[in-house]
Amino acid sequence: MYKFDSRVIIVTGAGQGIGQGVARRFARAGGTVIVADINAETGQKTADSLAKLGGNGVYMPYDLFDENGGDTLVEATMSQFGRVDVLVNNAYPTGMTPVGPIESKSLDSYQTTMQAGFFSVVNIMNAAFPHMKVRQYGRIINMCSLNGVNAHKYTSEYNSCKEAVRAFSRTAAVEWMQYGITTNIICPGAMSEAAKKFMEQEPEMMTDMLSQNPSGRMGDPEHDIGGATMLLASQDAQYINGNTLFVDGGSHINGVNWSPAKSTK
Protein backbone atom coordinates (compact mmCIF):
# COMPACT_ATOMS: atom_id res chain seq x y z
CA MET A 1 0.00 0.00 0.00
CA TYR A 2 1.32 3.42 -0.96
CA LYS A 3 1.18 6.15 1.67
CA PHE A 4 -0.10 9.64 0.86
CA ASP A 5 -0.61 10.96 4.39
CA SER A 6 1.56 14.01 3.66
CA ARG A 7 0.12 14.67 0.20
CA VAL A 8 -2.62 17.00 -1.05
CA ILE A 9 -4.47 15.59 -4.03
CA ILE A 10 -6.96 17.43 -6.24
CA VAL A 11 -9.43 15.16 -8.02
CA THR A 12 -11.85 16.90 -10.36
CA GLY A 13 -15.28 15.39 -10.91
CA ALA A 14 -14.89 13.44 -7.68
CA GLY A 15 -18.53 13.59 -6.65
CA GLN A 16 -19.34 10.35 -8.46
CA GLY A 17 -18.06 7.65 -10.80
CA ILE A 18 -14.37 7.31 -11.59
CA GLY A 19 -13.44 10.51 -9.78
CA GLN A 20 -15.13 9.33 -6.61
CA GLY A 21 -13.37 5.97 -6.87
CA VAL A 22 -10.00 7.67 -7.27
CA ALA A 23 -10.70 9.97 -4.31
CA ARG A 24 -11.62 7.00 -2.13
CA ARG A 25 -8.44 5.16 -3.06
CA PHE A 26 -6.24 8.11 -2.12
CA ALA A 27 -8.17 8.54 1.14
CA ARG A 28 -7.49 4.91 2.05
CA ALA A 29 -3.78 5.76 1.69
CA GLY A 30 -4.16 8.67 4.11
CA GLY A 31 -4.24 11.48 1.56
CA THR A 32 -5.90 14.86 1.87
CA VAL A 33 -8.25 14.89 -1.11
CA ILE A 34 -9.81 17.98 -2.63
CA VAL A 35 -13.14 16.76 -3.99
CA ALA A 36 -13.64 19.23 -6.84
CA ASP A 37 -17.10 19.07 -8.38
CA ILE A 38 -19.84 21.33 -9.70
CA ASN A 39 -22.47 19.36 -7.75
CA ALA A 40 -22.21 20.55 -4.16
CA GLU A 41 -24.48 17.81 -2.81
CA THR A 42 -22.60 14.82 -4.22
CA GLY A 43 -19.24 16.54 -3.80
CA GLN A 44 -19.78 17.26 -0.11
CA LYS A 45 -21.18 13.77 0.48
CA THR A 46 -18.07 12.22 -1.06
CA ALA A 47 -15.76 14.51 0.90
CA ASP A 48 -17.51 13.70 4.18
CA SER A 49 -17.14 9.97 3.54
CA LEU A 50 -13.36 10.04 3.09
CA ALA A 51 -12.51 10.47 6.78
CA LYS A 52 -14.02 7.04 7.48
CA LEU A 53 -11.49 5.56 5.03
CA GLY A 54 -8.49 7.05 6.79
CA GLY A 55 -7.98 10.23 4.78
CA ASN A 56 -9.21 13.80 4.78
CA GLY A 57 -11.79 15.05 2.29
CA VAL A 58 -12.54 18.68 1.48
CA TYR A 59 -15.21 19.69 -1.01
CA MET A 60 -14.46 22.63 -3.29
CA PRO A 61 -16.70 23.84 -6.14
CA TYR A 62 -15.32 23.47 -9.65
CA ASP A 63 -16.99 24.47 -12.91
CA LEU A 64 -15.48 23.25 -16.19
CA PHE A 65 -17.20 26.08 -18.05
CA ASP A 66 -15.58 28.77 -15.92
CA GLU A 67 -12.52 29.83 -17.89
CA ASN A 68 -10.72 30.61 -14.63
CA GLY A 69 -12.15 27.71 -12.65
CA GLY A 70 -8.79 25.98 -12.34
CA ASP A 71 -7.11 29.13 -11.05
CA THR A 72 -9.81 29.54 -8.41
CA LEU A 73 -9.59 25.90 -7.31
CA VAL A 74 -5.81 25.83 -7.03
CA GLU A 75 -5.77 29.19 -5.22
CA ALA A 76 -8.30 27.90 -2.68
CA THR A 77 -6.27 24.71 -2.18
CA MET A 78 -3.04 26.65 -1.68
CA SER A 79 -4.75 29.04 0.73
CA GLN A 80 -5.99 26.17 2.91
CA PHE A 81 -3.16 23.65 2.60
CA GLY A 82 -0.18 25.49 1.11
CA ARG A 83 0.59 22.82 -1.47
CA VAL A 84 -0.67 20.76 -4.40
CA ASP A 85 1.14 17.46 -4.82
CA VAL A 86 -1.14 15.53 -7.16
CA LEU A 87 -3.62 16.74 -9.77
CA VAL A 88 -6.08 14.27 -11.30
CA ASN A 89 -8.10 15.77 -14.15
CA ASN A 90 -11.12 13.53 -14.42
CA ALA A 91 -14.17 15.81 -14.69
CA TYR A 92 -16.30 15.72 -17.81
CA PRO A 93 -20.06 16.41 -18.03
CA THR A 94 -21.96 13.11 -18.29
CA GLY A 95 -23.97 12.87 -21.49
CA MET A 96 -22.87 16.25 -22.83
CA THR A 97 -21.72 15.05 -26.26
CA PRO A 98 -24.55 14.20 -28.67
CA VAL A 99 -24.13 10.96 -30.62
CA GLY A 100 -24.17 11.44 -34.38
CA PRO A 101 -22.12 11.54 -37.59
CA ILE A 102 -19.63 14.33 -38.20
CA GLU A 103 -21.86 16.09 -40.73
CA SER A 104 -24.55 16.53 -38.07
CA LYS A 105 -22.24 18.32 -35.64
CA SER A 106 -22.27 22.09 -35.14
CA LEU A 107 -19.20 24.22 -34.49
CA ASP A 108 -20.81 25.27 -31.20
CA SER A 109 -20.84 21.64 -30.11
CA TYR A 110 -17.09 21.36 -30.70
CA GLN A 111 -16.42 24.65 -28.89
CA THR A 112 -18.50 23.61 -25.88
CA THR A 113 -16.80 20.22 -25.68
CA MET A 114 -13.32 21.71 -26.00
CA GLN A 115 -13.99 24.17 -23.18
CA ALA A 116 -15.20 21.43 -20.84
CA GLY A 117 -12.78 18.71 -21.89
CA PHE A 118 -9.60 20.51 -22.98
CA PHE A 119 -9.32 24.21 -22.12
CA SER A 120 -10.35 23.50 -18.51
CA VAL A 121 -7.45 21.03 -18.26
CA VAL A 122 -5.01 23.57 -19.72
CA ASN A 123 -6.21 26.17 -17.21
CA ILE A 124 -5.88 24.03 -14.08
CA MET A 125 -2.53 22.53 -15.12
CA ASN A 126 -1.12 26.00 -15.70
CA ALA A 127 -2.52 27.07 -12.33
CA ALA A 128 -0.89 24.15 -10.50
CA PHE A 129 2.43 24.31 -12.33
CA PRO A 130 4.16 27.24 -10.54
CA HIS A 131 3.41 25.73 -7.12
CA MET A 132 4.73 22.33 -8.15
CA LYS A 133 7.77 23.96 -9.76
CA VAL A 134 8.71 25.77 -6.53
CA ARG A 135 8.67 22.49 -4.63
CA GLN A 136 10.31 20.59 -7.51
CA TYR A 137 7.64 17.93 -7.23
CA GLY A 138 4.30 17.16 -8.84
CA ARG A 139 2.19 14.37 -10.28
CA ILE A 140 -0.40 15.12 -12.96
CA ILE A 141 -2.72 12.37 -14.21
CA ASN A 142 -5.23 13.15 -16.96
CA MET A 143 -8.15 10.87 -17.81
CA CYS A 144 -8.56 10.40 -21.55
CA SER A 145 -10.45 7.83 -23.62
CA LEU A 146 -10.16 4.93 -26.04
CA ASN A 147 -12.87 6.71 -28.03
CA GLY A 148 -10.22 9.17 -29.11
CA VAL A 149 -7.34 6.71 -29.42
CA ASN A 150 -9.36 4.37 -31.64
CA ALA A 151 -11.38 7.14 -33.33
CA HIS A 152 -14.77 5.65 -32.47
CA LYS A 153 -17.49 6.91 -34.77
CA TYR A 154 -20.30 9.32 -33.86
CA THR A 155 -18.45 10.97 -30.95
CA SER A 156 -16.08 13.23 -32.88
CA GLU A 157 -16.16 16.18 -30.45
CA TYR A 158 -15.38 13.97 -27.46
CA ASN A 159 -12.68 12.07 -29.38
CA SER A 160 -11.03 15.31 -30.46
CA CYS A 161 -10.96 16.95 -27.05
CA LYS A 162 -9.59 13.85 -25.33
CA GLU A 163 -6.83 13.48 -27.92
CA ALA A 164 -6.03 17.18 -27.49
CA VAL A 165 -5.57 16.48 -23.77
CA ARG A 166 -3.24 13.58 -24.60
CA ALA A 167 -1.11 15.77 -26.87
CA PHE A 168 -0.99 18.59 -24.32
CA SER A 169 -0.11 16.12 -21.54
CA ARG A 170 2.80 14.67 -23.48
CA THR A 171 4.08 18.16 -24.25
CA ALA A 172 3.86 19.08 -20.55
CA ALA A 173 5.70 15.85 -19.77
CA VAL A 174 8.60 16.95 -21.96
CA GLU A 175 8.72 20.52 -20.66
CA TRP A 176 8.02 20.02 -16.96
CA MET A 177 9.97 16.85 -16.09
CA GLN A 178 13.01 19.04 -15.39
CA TYR A 179 11.10 20.46 -12.40
CA GLY A 180 10.29 17.04 -10.93
CA ILE A 181 6.77 17.08 -12.38
CA THR A 182 5.51 14.04 -14.24
CA THR A 183 2.45 14.05 -16.48
CA ASN A 184 0.71 10.87 -17.54
CA ILE A 185 -2.56 9.77 -19.09
CA ILE A 186 -5.02 7.03 -18.16
CA CYS A 187 -7.57 5.68 -20.63
CA PRO A 188 -9.98 3.91 -18.28
CA GLY A 189 -12.60 1.30 -18.90
CA ALA A 190 -14.82 1.43 -15.82
CA MET A 191 -18.42 1.36 -14.66
CA SER A 192 -18.71 5.14 -14.37
CA GLU A 193 -21.97 7.10 -14.40
CA ALA A 194 -21.47 7.67 -18.13
CA ALA A 195 -20.97 3.94 -18.68
CA LYS A 196 -24.13 3.15 -16.74
CA LYS A 197 -26.11 5.59 -18.86
CA PHE A 198 -24.62 4.14 -22.03
CA MET A 199 -25.53 0.65 -20.88
CA GLU A 200 -29.15 1.75 -20.51
CA GLN A 201 -29.17 3.31 -23.98
CA GLU A 202 -27.21 0.59 -25.79
CA PRO A 203 -27.58 -2.66 -23.78
CA GLU A 204 -26.87 -5.01 -26.69
CA MET A 205 -23.79 -3.08 -27.76
CA MET A 206 -22.47 -3.00 -24.17
CA THR A 207 -22.92 -6.76 -23.88
CA ASP A 208 -21.04 -7.20 -27.15
CA MET A 209 -18.24 -4.91 -25.98
CA LEU A 210 -17.83 -6.80 -22.72
CA SER A 211 -17.61 -10.08 -24.64
CA GLN A 212 -14.63 -8.63 -26.53
CA ASN A 213 -12.85 -7.54 -23.33
CA PRO A 214 -10.35 -10.19 -22.19
CA SER A 215 -11.41 -9.55 -18.58
CA GLY A 216 -15.10 -9.91 -19.43
CA ARG A 217 -16.06 -6.97 -17.24
CA MET A 218 -15.93 -3.23 -16.75
CA GLY A 219 -13.37 -1.95 -14.26
CA ASP A 220 -14.13 -0.84 -10.72
CA PRO A 221 -13.59 2.94 -10.29
CA GLU A 222 -11.91 2.60 -6.91
CA HIS A 223 -9.93 -0.61 -7.06
CA ASP A 224 -8.96 -0.71 -10.74
CA ILE A 225 -8.79 2.91 -11.88
CA GLY A 226 -7.96 4.30 -8.45
CA GLY A 227 -5.16 1.78 -8.01
CA ALA A 228 -3.55 2.70 -11.33
CA THR A 229 -3.89 6.41 -10.58
CA MET A 230 -2.25 5.97 -7.19
CA LEU A 231 0.64 4.12 -8.83
CA LEU A 232 1.30 7.01 -11.23
CA ALA A 233 1.09 9.45 -8.31
CA SER A 234 3.56 7.50 -6.20
CA GLN A 235 7.30 7.83 -5.69
CA ASP A 236 7.75 4.61 -7.66
CA ALA A 237 6.51 6.43 -10.76
CA GLN A 238 9.15 9.18 -10.72
CA TYR A 239 10.58 7.87 -14.01
CA ILE A 240 7.22 7.24 -15.70
CA ASN A 241 6.42 10.29 -17.77
CA GLY A 242 4.32 11.08 -20.83
CA ASN A 243 2.77 7.63 -20.95
CA THR A 244 -0.76 6.56 -21.81
CA LEU A 245 -1.81 3.76 -19.50
CA PHE A 246 -4.75 1.69 -20.72
CA VAL A 247 -6.63 0.49 -17.64
CA ASP A 248 -9.34 -1.46 -19.40
CA GLY A 249 -8.77 -5.16 -18.88
CA GLY A 250 -7.08 -5.41 -22.27
CA SER A 251 -9.93 -4.24 -24.50
CA HIS A 252 -7.58 -1.79 -26.25
CA ILE A 253 -5.42 -4.59 -27.67
CA ASN A 254 -7.75 -5.62 -30.48
CA GLY A 255 -10.29 -2.86 -29.99
CA VAL A 256 -14.02 -3.28 -29.48
CA ASN A 257 -16.98 -2.91 -31.80
CA TRP A 258 -18.26 0.66 -31.35
CA SER A 259 -21.47 1.16 -33.32
CA PRO A 260 -23.95 3.26 -31.30
CA ALA A 261 -27.24 4.41 -32.81
CA LYS A 262 -26.87 7.56 -34.94
CA SER A 263 -29.05 9.59 -32.61
CA THR A 264 -28.41 13.33 -32.50
CA LYS A 265 -30.78 13.92 -29.58
Side-chain angles (χ1 to χ4, degrees), residues 4-19:
F4 286 85
D5 51 293
S6 63
R7 302 297 189 191
V8 175
I9 304 107
I10 294 176
V11 183
T12 69
Q16 62 179 11
I18 290 175

PDB file of all heavy atoms in Angstrom, residues 4-19:
ATOM      1  N   PHE A   4       0.051   8.268   1.323  1.00  0.00           N
ATOM      2  CA  PHE A   4      -0.100   9.639   0.856  1.00  0.00           C
ATOM      3  C   PHE A   4      -0.523  10.561   1.990  1.00  0.00           C
ATOM      4  O   PHE A   4      -1.146  11.591   1.758  1.00  0.00           O
ATOM      5  CB  PHE A   4      -1.138   9.693  -0.279  1.00  0.00           C
ATOM      6  CG  PHE A   4      -0.637   9.143  -1.586  1.00  0.00           C
ATOM      7  CD1 PHE A   4      -0.691   7.787  -1.853  1.00  0.00           C
ATOM      8  CD2 PHE A   4      -0.091   9.977  -2.550  1.00  0.00           C
ATOM      9  CE1 PHE A   4      -0.221   7.262  -3.050  1.00  0.00           C
ATOM     10  CE2 PHE A   4       0.391   9.475  -3.756  1.00  0.00           C
ATOM     11  CZ  PHE A   4       0.325   8.112  -4.007  1.00  0.00           C
ATOM     12  N   ASP A   5      -0.160  10.192   3.224  1.00  0.00           N
ATOM     13  CA  ASP A   5      -0.608  10.962   4.387  1.00  0.00           C
ATOM     14  C   ASP A   5      -0.052  12.377   4.412  1.00  0.00           C
ATOM     15  O   ASP A   5      -0.589  13.240   5.103  1.00  0.00           O
ATOM     16  CB  ASP A   5      -0.248  10.219   5.681  1.00  0.00           C
ATOM     17  CG  ASP A   5       1.204   9.797   5.738  1.00  0.00           C
ATOM     18  OD1 ASP A   5       1.597   8.925   4.947  1.00  0.00           O
ATOM     19  OD2 ASP A   5       1.941  10.368   6.566  1.00  0.00           O
ATOM     20  N   SER A   6       0.999  12.654   3.689  1.00  0.00           N
ATOM     21  CA  SER A   6       1.560  14.010   3.661  1.00  0.00           C
ATOM     22  C   SER A   6       1.262  14.716   2.334  1.00  0.00           C
ATOM     23  O   SER A   6       1.817  15.781   2.072  1.00  0.00           O
ATOM     24  CB  SER A   6       3.070  13.962   3.886  1.00  0.00           C
ATOM     25  OG  SER A   6       3.720  13.252   2.838  1.00  0.00           O
ATOM     26  N   ARG A   7       0.384  14.137   1.528  1.00  0.00           N
ATOM     27  CA  ARG A   7       0.117  14.674   0.202  1.00  0.00           C
ATOM     28  C   ARG A   7      -1.267  15.319   0.098  1.00  0.00           C
ATOM     29  O   ARG A   7      -2.220  14.867   0.725  1.00  0.00           O
ATOM     30  CB  ARG A   7       0.206  13.567  -0.855  1.00  0.00           C
ATOM     31  CG  ARG A   7       1.553  12.851  -0.912  1.00  0.00           C
ATOM     32  CD  ARG A   7       2.681  13.776  -1.290  1.00  0.00           C
ATOM     33  NE  ARG A   7       3.918  13.051  -1.548  1.00  0.00           N
ATOM     34  CZ  ARG A   7       5.101  13.637  -1.685  1.00  0.00           C
ATOM     35  NH1 ARG A   7       5.217  14.947  -1.557  1.00  0.00           N
ATOM     36  NH2 ARG A   7       6.174  12.907  -1.926  1.00  0.00           N
ATOM     37  N   VAL A   8      -1.346  16.354  -0.730  1.00  0.00           N
ATOM     38  CA  VAL A   8      -2.616  17.004  -1.047  1.00  0.00           C
ATOM     39  C   VAL A   8      -2.939  16.695  -2.497  1.00  0.00           C
ATOM     40  O   VAL A   8      -2.144  16.986  -3.402  1.00  0.00           O
ATOM     41  CB  VAL A   8      -2.535  18.532  -0.824  1.00  0.00           C
ATOM     42  CG1 VAL A   8      -3.827  19.203  -1.272  1.00  0.00           C
ATOM     43  CG2 VAL A   8      -2.270  18.838   0.646  1.00  0.00           C
ATOM     44  N   ILE A   9      -4.086  16.089  -2.706  1.00  0.00           N
ATOM     45  CA  ILE A   9      -4.467  15.593  -4.027  1.00  0.00           C
ATOM     46  C   ILE A   9      -5.756  16.266  -4.485  1.00  0.00           C
ATOM     47  O   ILE A   9      -6.769  16.206  -3.777  1.00  0.00           O
ATOM     48  CB  ILE A   9      -4.693  14.063  -3.998  1.00  0.00           C
ATOM     49  CG1 ILE A   9      -3.449  13.345  -3.459  1.00  0.00           C
ATOM     50  CG2 ILE A   9      -5.091  13.542  -5.363  1.00  0.00           C
ATOM     51  CD1 ILE A   9      -3.620  12.806  -2.058  1.00  0.00           C
ATOM     52  N   ILE A  10      -5.744  16.890  -5.644  1.00  0.00           N
ATOM     53  CA  ILE A  10      -6.959  17.432  -6.244  1.00  0.00           C
ATOM     54  C   ILE A  10      -7.503  16.410  -7.231  1.00  0.00           C
ATOM     55  O   ILE A  10      -6.781  15.960  -8.122  1.00  0.00           O
ATOM     56  CB  ILE A  10      -6.689  18.755  -6.989  1.00  0.00           C
ATOM     57  CG1 ILE A  10      -6.269  19.857  -6.008  1.00  0.00           C
ATOM     58  CG2 ILE A  10      -7.922  19.198  -7.775  1.00  0.00           C
ATOM     59  CD1 ILE A  10      -5.889  21.176  -6.681  1.00  0.00           C
ATOM     60  N   VAL A  11      -8.765  16.049  -7.066  1.00  0.00           N
ATOM     61  CA  VAL A  11      -9.434  15.164  -8.019  1.00  0.00           C
ATOM     62  C   VAL A  11     -10.671  15.875  -8.533  1.00  0.00           C
ATOM     63  O   VAL A  11     -11.607  16.136  -7.770  1.00  0.00           O
ATOM     64  CB  VAL A  11      -9.833  13.817  -7.373  1.00  0.00           C
ATOM     65  CG1 VAL A  11     -10.461  12.898  -8.433  1.00  0.00           C
ATOM     66  CG2 VAL A  11      -8.637  13.139  -6.723  1.00  0.00           C
ATOM     67  N   THR A  12     -10.690  16.216  -9.807  1.00  0.00           N
ATOM     68  CA  THR A  12     -11.855  16.902 -10.356  1.00  0.00           C
ATOM     69  C   THR A  12     -12.922  15.881 -10.755  1.00  0.00           C
ATOM     70  O   THR A  12     -12.621  14.759 -11.134  1.00  0.00           O
ATOM     71  CB  THR A  12     -11.484  17.757 -11.580  1.00  0.00           C
ATOM     72  OG1 THR A  12     -11.137  16.913 -12.693  1.00  0.00           O
ATOM     73  CG2 THR A  12     -10.320  18.687 -11.271  1.00  0.00           C
ATOM     74  N   GLY A  13     -14.182  16.301 -10.616  1.00  0.00           N
ATOM     75  CA  GLY A  13     -15.285  15.394 -10.907  1.00  0.00           C
ATOM     76  C   GLY A  13     -15.338  14.239  -9.930  1.00  0.00           C
ATOM     77  O   GLY A  13     -15.704  13.118 -10.285  1.00  0.00           O
ATOM     78  N   ALA A  14     -15.005  14.505  -8.672  1.00  0.00           N
ATOM     79  CA  ALA A  14     -14.889  13.438  -7.675  1.00  0.00           C
ATOM     80  C   ALA A  14     -16.192  13.163  -6.930  1.00  0.00           C
ATOM     81  O   ALA A  14     -16.215  12.361  -6.006  1.00  0.00           O
ATOM     82  CB  ALA A  14     -13.787  13.763  -6.670  1.00  0.00           C
ATOM     83  N   GLY A  15     -17.265  13.804  -7.333  1.00  0.00           N
ATOM     84  CA  GLY A  15     -18.530  13.591  -6.652  1.00  0.00           C
ATOM     85  C   GLY A  15     -19.179  12.264  -6.972  1.00  0.00           C
ATOM     86  O   GLY A  15     -20.067  11.805  -6.245  1.00  0.00           O
ATOM     87  N   GLN A  16     -18.754  11.633  -8.061  1.00  0.00           N
ATOM     88  CA  GLN A  16     -19.343  10.353  -8.461  1.00  0.00           C
ATOM     89  C   GLN A  16     -18.390   9.629  -9.411  1.00  0.00           C
ATOM     90  O   GLN A  16     -17.368  10.158  -9.813  1.00  0.00           O
ATOM     91  CB  GLN A  16     -20.685  10.575  -9.178  1.00  0.00           C
ATOM     92  CG  GLN A  16     -20.556  11.376 -10.474  1.00  0.00           C
ATOM     93  CD  GLN A  16     -21.884  11.558 -11.191  1.00  0.00           C
ATOM     94  OE1 GLN A  16     -22.945  11.270 -10.653  1.00  0.00           O
ATOM     95  NE2 GLN A  16     -21.833  12.044 -12.419  1.00  0.00           N
ATOM     96  N   GLY A  17     -18.757   8.392  -9.758  1.00  0.00           N
ATOM     97  CA  GLY A  17     -18.064   7.648 -10.796  1.00  0.00           C
ATOM     98  C   GLY A  17     -16.584   7.427 -10.561  1.00  0.00           C
ATOM     99  O   GLY A  17     -16.128   7.154  -9.450  1.00  0.00           O
ATOM    100  N   ILE A  18     -15.808   7.553 -11.649  1.00  0.00           N
ATOM    101  CA  ILE A  18     -14.367   7.307 -11.587  1.00  0.00           C
ATOM    102  C   ILE A  18     -13.679   8.270 -10.629  1.00  0.00           C
ATOM    103  O   ILE A  18     -12.823   7.867  -9.836  1.00  0.00           O
ATOM    104  CB  ILE A  18     -13.745   7.402 -12.996  1.00  0.00           C
ATOM    105  CG1 ILE A  18     -14.195   6.209 -13.849  1.00  0.00           C
ATOM    106  CG2 ILE A  18     -12.223   7.446 -12.914  1.00  0.00           C
ATOM    107  CD1 ILE A  18     -13.732   6.269 -15.294  1.00  0.00           C
ATOM    108  N   GLY A  19     -14.054   9.536 -10.674  1.00  0.00           N
ATOM    109  CA  GLY A  19     -13.436  10.515  -9.779  1.00  0.00           C
ATOM    110  C   GLY A  19     -13.637  10.176  -8.322  1.00  0.00           C
ATOM    111  O   GLY A  19     -12.726  10.302  -7.500  1.00  0.00           O
TER     112      GLY A  19
END
